[in-house]
Each structure stands twice: as structure tokens, then as C-alpha cells.
Amino acid sequence: MSAADRASVSSELPGPFTERLKQVLGAGNVLTDPADCWPYGQDNSRKHTLPDAVAFATTHAQVQEAVRLCNQYSVPLLARGRGTGTTGSAIPVRGGLVLSLERMDRIIEMDAANRVMRVEPGAINQAIQDQAAQHGFFWPPDPTSSAYCTVGGNIALNAAGPRALKYGSTRENVLGLVAVTGKGDEIHTGTYTTKGVVGYDLTRLLIGSEGTLAIVTQATLKLTPLPEARRTLQAVYDSVRAAATAVSRLMAQPVTPCALEFMDAAAIEMIRNYSQAELPQDAGALLMIELDGPEAAMDAAVTKISAAARGEGLLNLAAAKTKDEATALWATRKALSPALRNIAPNKLNEDVVVPVSRIPELIDGLEKLSREYGIPIVNFGHAGNGNIHVNLLYDTQDPQQERNALPCVSKVFDLVLALGGTLSGEHGIGVAKRDYINRAIDPVTLDLMRAIKRQFDPRGILNPDKIFPPP
Amino acid sequence: MSAADRASVSSELPGPFTERLKQVLGAGNVLTDPADCWPYGQDNSRKHTLPDAVAFATTHAQVQEAVRLCNQYSVPLLARGRGTGTTGSAIPVRGGLVLSLERMDRIIEMDAANRVMRVEPGAINQAIQDQAAQHGFFWPPDPTSSAYCTVGGNIALNAAGPRALKYGSTRENVLGLVAVTGKGDEIHTGTYTTKGVVGYDLTRLLIGSEGTLAIVTQATLKLTPLPEARRTLQAVYDSVRAAATAVSRLMAQPVTPCALEFMDAAAIEMIRNYSQAELPQDAGALLMIELDGPEAAMDAAVTKISAAARGEGLLNLAAAKTKDEATALWATRKALSPALRNIAPNKLNEDVVVPVSRIPELIDGLEKLSREYGIPIVNFGHAGNGNIHVNLLYDTQDPQQERNALPCVSKVFDLVLALGGTLSGEHGIGVAKRDYINRAIDPVTLDLMRAIKRQFDPRGILNPDKIFPPP
């Protein structure tokens, strides 16, 4: 976003606002020097706009006071975790206050008997996993950024990852929330129990709402027992079509893998040098298939999964022989996204979703668009959910590629929607996709969402201009 | 509800309304004779109020037209499935129009490759199961009434059943909806894919909203592969406390049963005559534990579950030896609720939920209340979710019991909330619990829910006076 764009929507902070904020949060927890504020104006979308102030809250009461002040002085407010999102949800496009919750990171309670953990929003995903693992549990959402993303961010974007295939996304793994609405009201949603039908489901309404409705100050997480055993398979195919057809076969039989990851030939080339596993030279696509469950079931499950993986175009099917080999396979998979970022800093990574049976058509369509627009496209992702990360690696030094990039993205979305899919599986809309959302959601339904937003945030201070195109 | 009560809130149908409705739906699909309308004024709460008219819709367009007419003429509108709910959600407390969707029961599409089924709201749960099973799948929600309840009703109340323990409730098993809001607008929520973060989650907002926000005209259901094998165990304990402690042990180990059902001594006595299984005379409580998964995992799983089931107070632990024996066990379990209904037609069945670790305290507390108020209480239900059906079997011929019943229920709710639980796990609020909801949900959060309701249904025509106490 250019400086001119920003200036047109931003406003200076009103005089007494900063002083009052310092009273509430402590002077040392409020930054106003642009140099200090700068790092809080970006996220992993590589967009940037400078906030007018950054503040650090450590308690629910402070969050509530900060929201009330922003209301009183009409200051835009963006609650921020660690800025690992990729669609610009954490970019303060109108300036205003960025309220960082990174220091509000306590694990409040680990309740093994009820498979529940209560946490503050700044808790790191990995810290939650570590704590849960000590009691034999895990929390299913596992984005690539799990080592440094926060649970608040996971909730804001309904984060997922490979394991969502078997265990669901954030939406299926949160029981309840405490939050502060855009009005400054404290609300309590959901239950402490795994079932509950008492009023409207505000928990799921907040999950995936990208900080536009309320700021979560506490979350009750549903934990899942760690599986006893795990097996990792790698299947290499001569073509994307062969691999995509295998995905359909794998999802049509009863053993649901805990991960079913896909890479196309371009992605394979990128990791060839890192991988310890055999990667045939003529590999057109690769599937990583992970199974988990009781040890006693593993051999039979591997047999069934292997049978489904076999078929036309299979070049090689191998099980990781050691835990180290499996870990190495995952390391290469998880290195893909950052590696692509290094090669193409301005890559456009669209995490589109299509019904699993339509993946071959998606890949065919993407190849055509890549040729038509002259832009290399690398595809990988969570094939079992039909959630493919489509990476447009355009060269910013090439004026034609730069000109073609956004029109090509636009065609990618048209393709996905025509196949019965949608714009985002786990990254959300943010600013990056907000101008496309009216292709996925009809105007009446969008208006209803906006009307709901006004009930939570009548003055529109919370993360303005996200999800919905500005009127 | 007495006739006097009803008269105070009801209104006659305005003149042209019925004629216009007949034009839209066909004269043969609109009933106005009180004798014809009578059966549509009740549900399984055994409450009754007479609607002014009953109409049958078979298409989305008809539903939309009916809603628009009700808006125009300010006629209360209640969409109805088969009336199997237990909390009075389907009682037209203000009269008006009952719109039956029982004839809108098509299975629109069975898409095995994507594990998806699209259905109309009047489709019977069992018809969905039968269709899915032909392709090797099932749809997890399995209320006791599955043979005759509709998917629309399941969605309205976020229905569940024993399998929710492993597979989730309706909320976790619906991908998207088409619906008509109280304004008469058509909306499309969710996706056709298993992942999606595109705008607010209106799908889950509608699920469990008891027909107060919108009328669902189509649902996209997420199917699950049928498990390969199944084992049923029965564990009998000398006391409720011993059984409840076993539930905690069972839920603290990694093999999650697909059902973990509980019955107290009074419930056991009721089924003793029907059961083929051995039921020791000194049985204080019984657990039915069902496991499912790959055949290869079953023996090891049974070993682990048996180890967790063993402990102080165990009298007998036996596996069903044949499929018939397992079926008989389930038949007795499923007969419990109707059997209780026959014994005590006015029984109050509260499906409260507490954290699993608090079940022993719940049962102790219920025993105290039973003694204090002189009302027999029979408890059974979905122990793995902490979801206990608490049945107050009061004798309507006994004036003291009748006087005590509601005060006792009130104390039951206080107890449940004090234990960190909530009012309903799967039955919803309806009219039966609406006067208690403000004990479970704070006023600010309730007001926000009401504000959301107004965005969907500004004239308040959809299922008025449900969930929330009248102002």
C-alpha cells in the first residue's frame, strides 16, 4: 500500500489518547516513535503500513480499557499476535493503535482429566503443544509457523495445517472464548464441556473473523490424545494428474490419514537437494502420506493406504524406514514455503480449496493459466482437504510478469470457484483477497455479515477494511 | 401453556394472508381447521399450543415466499421437522403459521468422492444414514430419534447422540447451508469443502439457533467412512461414584471410544427385564463402552479400554460376544428414554453437561436433591462428554411432588453451573429452559445474541419467545 493510499484513510492520534493509554498500560508499554512502531506495521504478507502507536497488554482489563479508549477517541485498533499471517490481516491499514498481545502468553490451566487447556491469546502454538504433550495430548492446529505463531492468531484466522485432514481446524478444537467486543464489552462464549447448545454459537463466529468482531483474551482449547504410533509414506507419480487421482482414491477408503500432502514437479525440484529420500528424476508429483493411531493398527493401515496409493503413474512408493527419515521428509515439506519466499519475495501464495475430486481439473487449469500469463506456478499443500497452496512466482524485474500477476490470480479464483471451491482454506481474507470475496459470497450474505459486524463493533474501530471491501 | 397465556400473545391471522399463502403453496398444502392444525402444535416436550395455520413447503422458493408473507402480515412463523425435540422449540407459542418441511425431504446429491451429501431439511436422519452406508459412509449425529427426526431439526438443535464423543455433534458435521432469513432473504453459508476461512462462520451460527434466525432449505453434510469393526463392552459397578471415576480413567487414555454411555441403578432396574446381558443384583451403575476402528486394532483397544474400566467397585466387565448381543444392549439403552416417558409422562428430562471429572460430584449432588425434594431422579446418558440426562420422575397425582418439581430443576441447573457445566448438551433451550439461560450466559453476551437475531429477523417473526426470555 502506498503512502498516499494510507494517508487518505489514516488519522493522527487525538491529543489525550496516548496519555490515557499510557496511564492504563504503563508508559513503558506504549510506543509512539515511528522507528519503534515500524516492525508492528507488517506481517508475513510483506505488506506494511505504519501504526500511530503500539501498545502491549498483559491483562484482560488492559485490553478492555484500550478498546474503550479507542472507541472514545475513534482510533482504529488492531490486535496482533506474532504477525505470521499471509493475507495482511495484521496490517494496520488505517494506522491507529496496534495492540500486541505477545506478552499475554500464559497457559492458565492444563486440565488433563477433561482434555482441556485454558490459555491467553499470546501463547505460542508450540508452547501449547509442549505443555499438552507432557500429559499425552496435542492441540490439532499445526500451521507451518507453529514454532512462533500465537493461538490468538490461530483463532483469528481459523488456522489449520496438515493434521486438519483428520483432526479439524481451529474451529473444531476450541470450546469457548472470553473476548472484548469492539464496543469494549466483555463476552463469554461457548462452554468448558465438549457439548453445548445454549444460545448462539459465538465461539465459531469469532473464529476466523480476523479480529474484526472482538479481541480474544482467553481461549478454552479442546485437546486430543497423542496417537500411539505414526507412519510416513512417500508416493512419487509421473504426473500431477496421476497423483491427484490417487488422492481421490485415498480419500474414498476408510483409513483417513492424519496428513496427505501434495507437491508438484516444480516444488519437488526445489527440495531435491534437501531431501534424503529417493526422488526419481522424472517425478511429476509427490504425495506425503502420514498415518497415526494405535500401533496394532499400523501395518494393516499401511497396507490399505499403499493399495490406494498404487495405480497408473506411480513411480515409487516407500515408507520412511526410521523416525529420522520421516522427520527429514517433514522438514523438507515445511521448508518449502520459506524457500519459495526466498526465491520469489513477492510470490503470491493463494491457499485455495476445491473438492478433492476436482484437484486434477484445478491443476490442469493452473498449468494453462501459467502458460497464458507467462508466470511460473508452484503448487503444494494439503491435498486431502483439497487445500492447495498455489504459488505464483513472478519476477518483479520483469514488467510483463509484474503486470500479469494480479490478473492471473483473479483467473485462479474464478477457476477455483467454478470447481465448487473457495478462496481460502486456512489463511483467511485479510486485505489480500477482500476484493475477491464478493465472487465467493453473494451480496445478501455479505451484507448480513457486515450487519453482524456492526453489533460487535458499531464504530468500526476493530481491524477496519479487512475481509470486506471498503464501501 | 394455558389457553389464557396463549391468548395474551397470539393474534388471529390477517384476512388476505391465508389466501395469499394458498396461492403460493397450493390450497391443498395449507391447513386452517383447528382439528387439522392440532397435531402440529406439539413436540416431544409434550407442550401444546394451537397454530392458526399449518402449511407444507416442498421448494426453497415456497419457503421464501411464505417467510415474506409472514413478514408482510407480521405473522409468527415456526419451521417444523418432525417435532421430536424435547424442549418445546417446535411449539408455536404465539400461534401463527407452522411451516412443515417434512415433505421437503430429498437427498439432492450423494458425492462419495468428496465425502459429501446435500439434502433438504425434511430428510430423515435414518434415510441419510442408509444412503451414506451404501457408499461406505455415515453421518455422525445419532439422536435416539434417528429413525424419525429430520436433518433440519438436527441442525436447529445441534443434535448429537452417543457417537458425538468421537465424531462430534451436528456442528462438526455440516459444511454449508442455504437458508432463508427472517427477512425473507436467501443466504448461502459455508463451503462445499472441508476447510474454508472466507468471511464469518454463519453455518455454525445457524446450527443450534432453534429456527430463530433463518430457515434452512438445504444442507451440505460432511460424511465419515464407516468403521471396519466395532466392539461393545459392558462394565457394571457397585456405585455411581465407582462408574463415574472409571469414566474419568477411560477419558484420560488415548483410545477414544465411539460411545461411553452411563446408567444409574434406577435406570438399570428399568431395563433389567429387557436385557439379555447379565446385570448383577447389586449393580449401582453401568457403563456401555463401544469402540470402533480398523479390525486389526480392536483386540489391543479392548485390552486398553478394559484396563481403564477396571478399578475399585467393578463388579463385572464383559464384551458382547455376538453382534446380536451388542444390538440387544443398544436396544435396551435406546429404550430407556421412551420407557421413562411411559412411566412418568410428565418427567422432566434435563440433558445437562459437566466436565467429565465432575460427574461424581454431579451424581452426589443429584442424590441429595432427590432426597431433599422427595422426587425420584433417574440418570443416564453420554458420560464421555459429561452429558447426563437427568430425569425427574415426579408423580402428577402427588401435589407435593408436583410443587417441588420445578424448584428441584432449578437447583439441578445451579449445581451443574457450579461444576463448570452448562444447561444443555444436545436438546437446546426452547421454552423449557429459556428462563434459566441468564444463569449460564451473562447479560452482555445475551444482548449481543439478541442483537444478532435482529439482523436476521428484524420483525421477530421466526420462532418467537424461544431461547431468550421474553423482555
Side-chain angles (χ1 to χ4, degrees), chain B residues 69-109:
Chain B
L69 279 176
C70 287
N71 250 298
Q72 188 181 343
Y73 292 97
S74 295
V75 173
L77 171 54
L78 192 154
R80 180 187 165 92
R82 294 275 180 168
T84 57
T86 62
T87 59
S89 296
I91 303 299
V93 290
R94 290 207 207 170
L97 176 66
V98 166
L99 186 65
S100 173
L101 301 175
E102 66 193 290
R103 299 179 189 172
M104 197 168 169
D105 64 350
R106 285 188 310 145
I107 291 176
I108 301 166
E109 185 188 7

Side-chain angles (χ1 to χ4, degrees), chain B residues 139-226:
Chain B
W139 188 54
D142 61 337
T144 302
S145 56
S146 56
Y148 37 94
C149 64
T150 66
V151 64
N154 296 167
I155 289 168
L157 292 160
N158 190 23
R163 288 195 297 230
L165 178 57
K166 182 170 178 177
Y167 296 104
S169 60
T170 300
R171 185 184 286 151
E172 286 80 25
N173 293 286
V174 174
L175 298 174
L177 300 169
V178 182
V180 177
T181 68
K183 264 170 149 169
D185 287 337
E186 174 179 325
I187 58 169
H188 299 81
T189 79
T191 57
Y192 193 86
T193 52
T194 48
K195 282 166 87 175
V197 197
V198 181
Y200 302 149
D201 185 353
L202 301 186
T203 307
R204 258 51 62 170
L205 190 63
L206 293 188
I207 295 171
S209 67
E210 307 192 14
T212 62
L213 298 177
I215 300 177
V216 171
T217 58
Q218 194 185 113
T220 303
L221 309 182
K222 180 186 174 192
L223 304 179
T224 299
L226 280 166

Side-chain angles (χ1 to χ4, degrees), chain A residues 115 200 212 228 251 304, chain B residues 115 200 212 228 251 304:
Chain A
R115 299 181 171 190
Y200 301 149
T212 63
E228 193 179 87
M251 291 306 294
K304 281 197 179 115
Chain B
R115 300 182 169 187
Y200 302 149
T212 62
E228 193 179 87
M251 292 305 294
K304 282 200 178 112

Side-chain angles (χ1 to χ4, degrees), chain B residues 14 21 24 51 53 185 214 222 235 239 267 275 291 342 367 401 446 455:
Chain B
L21 193 66
V24 169
D185 287 337
K222 180 186 174 192
S239 68
S275 180
L291 306 170
N342 286 336
E367 277 175 13
Q401 281 197 11
L446 273 177
Q455 309 316 305

Side-chain angles (χ1 to χ4, degrees), chain A residues 31-70:
Chain A
L31 312 176
T32 51
D33 183 322
D36 294 336
C37 293
W38 188 266
Y40 291 88
Q42 68 191 351
D43 67 8
N44 195 27
S45 69
R46 301 244 167 152
K47 291 180 173 62
H48 184 274
T49 54
L50 186 64
D52 296 304
V54 174
F56 301 89
T58 50
T59 68
H60 171 88
Q62 286 177 341
V63 172
Q64 194 165 15
E65 283 302 316
V67 175
R68 286 177 173 168
L69 278 177
C70 288

Side-chain angles (χ1 to χ4, degrees), chain B residues 365-381:
Chain B
L366 290 170
E367 277 175 13
K368 278 192 200 112
L369 290 174
S370 174
R371 283 195 300 274
E372 186 181 336
Y373 287 92
I375 293 176
I377 299 184
V378 176
N379 301 301
F380 63 93

Side-chain angles (χ1 to χ4, degrees), chain B residues 6-355:
Chain B
R6 206 206 122 203
S8 67
V9 287
S10 157
S11 60
E12 296 296 299
L13 291 180
F17 173 80
T18 313
E19 283 317 303
R20 300 257 326 256
L21 193 66
K22 285 179 178 171
Q23 284 163 17
V24 169
L25 295 171
N29 295 317
V30 179
L31 312 176
T32 51
D33 184 320
D36 294 335
C37 293
W38 188 265
Y40 291 87
Q42 67 191 352
D43 67 8
N44 196 27
S45 69
R46 302 243 166 149
K47 292 180 171 61
H48 184 274
T49 54
L50 186 65
D52 297 303
V54 175
F56 301 90
T58 51
T59 67
H60 170 88
Q62 287 177 341
V63 172
Q64 195 165 15
E65 283 303 316
V67 176
R68 286 177 173 169
L69 279 176
C70 287
N71 250 298
Q72 188 181 343
Y73 292 97
S74 295
V75 173
L77 171 54
L78 192 154
R80 180 187 165 92
R82 294 275 180 168
T84 57
T86 62
T87 59
S89 296
I91 303 299
V93 290
R94 290 207 207 170
L97 176 66
V98 166
L99 186 65
S100 173
L101 301 175
E102 66 193 290
R103 299 179 189 172
M104 197 168 169
D105 64 350
R106 285 188 310 145
I107 291 176
I108 301 166
E109 185 188 7
M110 170 70 219
D111 180 357
N114 292 305
R115 300 182 169 187
V116 162
M117 192 189 286
R118 281 192 306 129
V119 299
E120 289 184 335
I124 301 291
N125 181 296
Q126 189 60 51
I128 288 166
Q129 308 299 352
D130 292 345
Q131 176 72 32
Q134 288 181 26
H135 301 268
F137 296 99
F138 69 106
W139 188 54
D142 61 337
T144 302
S145 56
S146 56
Y148 37 94
C149 64
T150 66
V151 64
N154 296 167
I155 289 168
L157 292 160
N158 190 23
R163 288 195 297 230
L165 178 57
K166 182 170 178 177
Y167 296 104
S169 60
T170 300
R171 185 184 286 151
E172 286 80 25
N173 293 286
V174 174
L175 298 174
L177 300 169
V178 182
V180 177
T181 68
K183 264 170 149 169
D185 287 337
E186 174 179 325
I187 58 169
H188 299 81
T189 79
T191 57
Y192 193 86
T193 52
T194 48
K195 282 166 87 175
V197 197
V198 181
Y200 302 149
D201 185 353
L202 301 186
T203 307
R204 258 51 62 170
L205 190 63
L206 293 188
I207 295 171
S209 67
E210 307 192 14
T212 62
L213 298 177
I215 300 177
V216 171
T217 58
Q218 194 185 113
T220 303
L221 309 182
K222 180 186 174 192
L223 304 179
T224 299
L226 280 166
E228 193 179 87
R230 196 181 293 277
R231 299 288 168 84
T232 308
L233 302 175
Q234 184 183 265
V236 180
Y237 298 86
D238 62 4
S239 68
V240 163
R241 178 164 277 275
T245 309
V247 169
S248 284
R249 283 197 306 271
L250 284 159
M251 292 305 294
Q253 54 80 49
V255 180
T256 300
C258 67
L260 176 46
E261 298 290 299
F262 163 85
M263 289 179 212
D264 71 7
I268 294 170
E269 282 314 307
M270 299 191 61
I271 60 158
R272 188 179 289 282
N273 296 337
Y274 305 90
S275 180
Q276 297 174 23
E278 287 286 316
L279 292 172
Q281 283 304 322
D282 49 352
L286 176 154
L287 297 179
M288 275 185 59
I289 313 165
E290 193 161 275
L291 306 170
D292 67 7
E295 182 58 54
M298 285 294 107
D299 287 345
V302 168
T303 304
K304 282 200 178 112
I305 287 288
S306 300
R310 281 191 194 99
E312 202 185 317
L314 179 74
L315 297 179
N316 189 44
L317 174 66
K321 285 172 200 71
T322 64
K323 203 179 161 190
D324 284 353
E325 204 177 308
T327 307
L329 268 177
W330 274 109
T332 51
R333 162 66 186 84
K334 291 223 166 190
L336 249 179
S337 196
L340 281 169
R341 174 70 86 197
N342 286 336
I343 292 170
N346 294 293
K347 70 160 180 166
L348 290 164
N349 172 9
E350 303 301 342
D351 76 314
V352 299
V353 203
V354 294

